Amino acid sequence: MINQPDNHDLLIEARQVLLNSLTPELTGARKYEALMIANAMSMAIRELGQSEQAKVEEADQAVSTFLAARSQPNPNVEGEISLAEAIRERRLDGREPALREVLQTLTEARLGINSPGYLKR
């Protein structure tokens, strides 16, 4: 399958073209406007990155909450290690809908960072 860029990647590329190819040819007010657009694009790029990171943090919290509700130890900073251990040691029932929901949330959050285009298929 062809790798399709996501909004974050498209904004980064468009900003680079604006700054590297178009802006050097501009002068005066037009150059200022182009730089202002590039600055706005940079803010949007950061915001997209933060929203993906927030999803990962929410997923980590969901894992911790899930483990705590089932009296499972969660000594790790990232609860997914504890979750994996509990599943591997069969302390959790893999058929439980809540477990599947937590796993789906965690997977989607990680894919949102590592391979955002995959979720759009």
Side-chain angles (χ1 to χ4, degrees):
M1 168 138 301
I2 297 174
N3 236 352
Q4 296 180 353
D6 66 336
N7 293 335
H8 185 266
D9 294 336
L10 290 172
L11 272 173
I12 290 173
E13 186 62 31
R15 184 175 182 277
Q16 289 304 320
V17 170
L18 177 65
L19 289 173
N20 297 336
S21 299
L22 301 175
T23 303
E25 296 178 12
L26 302 173
T27 60
R30 290 292 183 196
K31 186 169 191 162
Y32 174 78
E33 290 168 349
L35 292 172
M36 196 169 59
I37 292 167
N39 190 43
M41 293 170 85
S42 182
M43 287 186 280
I45 290 166
R46 284 192 301 274
E47 187 175 308
L48 282 171
Q50 289 172 350
S51 69
E52 293 302 329
Q53 185 59 39
K55 289 178 186 175
V56 169
E57 290 169 4
E58 288 173 16
D60 287 341
Q61 182 60 43
V63 169
S64 294
T65 301
F66 176 85
L67 290 171
R70 281 145 187 87
S71 301
Q72 295 294 321
N74 185 10
N76 302 304
V77 174
E78 288 191 37
E80 64 185 281
I81 294 171
S82 296
L83 182 65
E85 289 171 356
I87 292 169
R88 190 173 29 257
E89 294 169 4
R90 303 203 189 278
R91 289 183 276 132
L92 297 172
D93 183 358
R95 297 170 296 198
E96 183 181 358
L99 175 58
R100 290 177 185 223
E101 185 177 322
V102 166
L103 290 172
Q104 182 172 351
T105 299
L106 185 60
T107 301
E108 288 174 356
R110 297 294 181 207
L111 281 172
I113 295 286
N114 300 324
S115 185
Y118 185 82
L119 294 174
K120 297 174 185 170
R121 291 183 197 171

